[in-house]
Amino acid sequence: MTEQAPITTIAEIGKHDGETVTIRGWLYNKRESGKLIFPIFRDGTGVIQGVAPKNQVTPEVFETLHTLTDESSVIVTGKVRADQRAPGGFELDVIDAKVLQRVPEDDPFPIARKEHGIDFLMENRHLWVRTPRQAAILRIRAEIIRAARGFFDDRGFTLTDPPILTPAACEGTSTLFPVKYFDEDAFLTQSGQLYIEAMAMALGKVYSFGPTFRAEKSKTRRHLTEFWMVEPEIAYAELNDIMELAENFISHLVQSVIAHRPDDLKIIGRDLTKLENIKPPFPRLSYDDAVKMLQEGHAKGAVENRFEWGGDFGSPDETYISSQFDKPVMVHRYPTKVKAFYMEPDPQRPELALCVDVLAPEGYGEIIGGSQRIGDYEQLRKRILEHDLPEASFKWYLDLRKYGGVPHSGFGMGIERAVAWICGLEHVRETIPFARTLTRIYP
Ligand code: 4AD
Ligand code: MG
């Protein structure tokens, strides 16, 4: 009879109340009291408690469960029973348990249900991901990516993937990862932007989603050296258009996670009141006003150093500004000289760039950076030279201003920063399957 039990997953087990089913997974944990064993199984879709009383299972099955070690792989057959007190609403009365591979008693699974230091956990990331909290974060990441692609796909954007091996910098030469490209020097891409600008001139509304690389020397909770960016780029769009797009986009991501991953948000203990009101419109703040806000904060003793107009915001500045709002705040028109070479100057005040940074609430800092792009050929050429960039590598990029140039704009959102904020995590290293940072490239 056990041979014929239908195979299901823990997530789907509610559809089989009263039936005998088979699940395939691992032993997560176990409680035992003499004649009664409560093995807790996980299968990647969820966790369920089994019940095995000595007088109701065969001696072999009881012995198997009694000696079963955490994270041993096991195929379990049992009868599904609704139980209000059970976390998922169901328990499994165990009938049979077949062990595939038993974790040795004297070399147990290293991630025990106790506190470990972060270095130990990162060193064992390949195993740490099996714990419910990490699995929940990874499912939320997947939902955010699904929602991001869906957002653009549903609005007439074409996905156009830029190259990862590139001959030149997009976001400053100080964070380039060099690679040897046969006899030439090349770099891992910092952003797909320049290439999707070309795509926007061909297809109108495009986006890219892929890995990007920055040799960041900063060891902060916001920086990875390899991260995933989603970047829309739109022909004929101006700064205001992409600000509106950004607030709708972020709201869509947050509301999708609330709608589709409520159980995972619960597992990680996220305060939903902080997410529920993330809906357009978002506050807009000019750089000038943001500077005033920081200076007033300094006068009140809430900001340590006095911020002078003209500089770029550091993490503490961004944290203070965002703490004044309960939604992401869109800071626009930074001084040209602290921003990237390709940004269009504000015609009213050429010392400012037509750009926007979206700062997430709760101190998560910048999650989106975007701008209108320089439209004029000569001006762009001048900027490339001013920034010491190799003109020859940018010939094709300049061509876009020669052959039917139009105003165009776009932005980039780092998926990991968005996941960190939406999940309320301390550090971006938990938001990606295997984080790459200044100090880590293993496992
Ligand atoms: O502001 P950034 O540098 O903008 C660009 O790369 C533009 N070319 C994007 C565009 O307009 N198409 O980076 C965009 C976003 C940041 O707001 C942040 O979310 C993320 O990428 N990001 C990082 N995330 C993790 N680790 C890092 N080291 C990051 N650097 C940027
Ligand atoms: Mg930026």
Side-chain angles (χ1 to χ4, degrees):
M1 165 201 151
T2 57
E3 253 69 57
Q4 287 133 30
I7 292 170
T8 187
T9 61
I10 294 171
E12 301 271 283
I13 217 153
K15 294 181 183 160
H16 298 276
D17 190 17
E19 295 170 24
T20 298
V21 297
T22 294
I23 54 169
R24 303 179 294 184
W26 296 262
L27 182 73
Y28 172 56
N29 200 350
K30 186 174 65 180
R31 286 193 296 123
E32 241 174 308
S33 64
K35 294 185 162 58
L36 198 52
I37 305 176
F38 298 103
I40 299 170
F41 303 107
R42 63 166 197 89
D43 72 347
T45 72
V47 167
I48 191 167
Q49 176 165 284
V51 183
K54 193 165 192 168
N55 59 3
Q56 277 169 45
V57 295
T58 65
E60 294 76 33
V61 168
F62 193 82
E63 186 57 21
T64 296
L65 294 175
H66 176 63
T67 56
L68 200 57
T69 41
D70 285 1
E71 289 304 322
S72 293
S73 39
V74 60
I75 296 179
V76 186
T77 299
K79 197 168 170 194
V80 182
R81 178 170 41 75
D83 187 318
Q84 304 244 304
R85 294 159 303 171
F90 295 91
E91 284 190 341
L92 194 68
D93 289 322
V94 178
I95 298 166
D96 195 14
K98 284 196 181 65
V99 179
L100 271 76
Q101 192 255 316
R102 184 184 296 275
V103 175
E105 200 91 49
D106 57 358
D107 189 6
F109 191 69
I111 316 281
R113 323 269 160 238
K114 63 169 191 196
E115 291 288 304
H116 291 289
I118 187 65
D119 288 338
F120 178 85
L121 292 170
M122 289 305 290
E123 195 70 11
N124 287 283
R125 180 65 176 167
H126 54 301
L127 304 175
W128 186 26
V129 289
R130 297 188 189 187
T131 59
R133 181 180 163 82
Q134 294 305 313
I137 293 167
L138 292 173
R139 280 191 295 264
I140 293 172
R141 174 192 171 94
E143 171 61 23
I144 290 171
I145 293 170
R146 193 195 64 79
R149 302 182 92 126
F151 180 88
F152 293 117
D153 291 341
D154 291 348
R155 282 165 184 74
F157 286 72
T158 303
L159 176 69
T160 53
D161 292 318
I164 288 166
L165 293 167
T166 59
C170 175
E171 294 296 324
T173 48
S174 64
T175 63
L176 285 169
F177 271 117
V179 288
K180 203 79 209 135
Y181 192 74
F182 306 106
D183 292 333
E184 280 181 63
D185 290 325
F187 308 98
L188 297 177
T189 186
Q190 298 166 308
S191 157
Q193 179 198 319
L194 306 185
Y195 291 95
I196 56 170
E197 284 186 49
M199 293 297 132
M201 298 304 126
L203 295 151
K205 297 203 286 184
V206 299
Y207 74 104
S208 66
F209 173 62
T212 48
F213 305 86
R214 304 217 183 154
E216 300 272 9
K217 299 278 157 34
S218 23
K219 216 174 144 187
T220 78
R221 63 196 202 92
R222 297 173 186 177
H223 287 95
L224 296 168
T225 53
E226 175 179 314
F227 58 99
W228 287 67
M229 215 197 293
V230 54
E231 299 180 87
E233 190 72 30
I234 311 172
Y236 288 103
E238 298 182 357
L239 178 61
N240 272 336
D241 301 314
I242 57 149
M243 285 171 68
E244 220 171 277
L245 186 71
E247 67 190 351
N248 284 310
F249 174 60
I250 290 181
S251 303
H252 176 75
L253 301 184
V254 172
Q255 297 308 323
S256 296
V257 171
I258 293 175
H260 299 127
R261 303 256 51 110
D263 296 348
D264 290 324
L265 288 168
K266 206 157 144 198
I267 289 172
I268 64 176
R270 183 59 164 132
D271 179 356
L272 289 189
T273 62
K274 295 255 172 31
L275 297 178
E276 277 156 352
N277 76 328
I278 307 297
K279 290 179 182 157
F282 293 172
R284 285 147 165 81
L285 186 69
S286 68
Y287 172 88
D288 287 351
D289 287 342
V291 171
K292 276 189 208 127
M293 187 177 272
L294 287 171
Q295 290 174 345
E296 282 162 20
H298 177 69
K300 282 190 288 192
V303 176
E304 201 178 317
N305 300 315
R306 190 185 146 85
F307 188 90
E308 294 304 335
W309 194 99
D312 200 2
F313 301 135
S315 288
D317 307 314
E318 287 181 350
T319 299
Y320 180 77
I321 295 165
S322 67
S323 72
Q324 307 300 300
F325 304 92
D326 60 0
K327 287 185 190 183
V329 53
M330 302 202 281
V331 183
H332 56 89
R333 294 179 172 79
Y334 286 64
T336 306
K337 70 174 189 353
V338 300
K339 288 291 183 187
F341 75 95
Y342 51 71
M343 292 185 181
E344 178 80 22
D346 186 342
Q348 256 91 58
R349 288 175 61 192
E351 73 279 17
L352 302 182
L354 292 175
C355 67
V356 61
D357 276 7
V358 182
L359 311 183
E362 302 171 71
Y364 281 92
E366 179 198 327
I367 51 171
I368 279 183
S371 74
Q372 198 167 317
R373 321 306 190 188
I374 291 181
D376 180 70
Y377 184 96
E378 267 316 314
Q379 190 175 29
L380 182 59
R381 199 177 146 262
K382 226 177 96 210
R383 283 289 187 80
I384 288 170
L385 298 175
E386 276 168 17
H387 283 251
D388 264 335
L389 296 168
E391 196 187 346
S393 305
F394 289 91
K395 183 187 170 297
W396 69 269
Y397 186 62
L398 281 160
D399 275 353
L400 306 178
R401 279 74 182 167
K402 197 192 287 174
Y403 301 112
V406 303
H408 62 287
S409 306
F411 63 75
M413 186 193 78
I415 290 285
E416 292 75 20
R417 297 239 182 121
V419 177
W421 161 52
I422 293 172
C423 291
L425 306 177
E426 183 56 36
H427 199 294
V428 287
R429 67 188 155 215
E430 286 181 53
T431 64
I432 184 164
F434 292 95
R436 297 287 172 253
T437 63
L438 184 57
T439 54
R440 178 166 296 284
I441 197 169
Y442 176 94

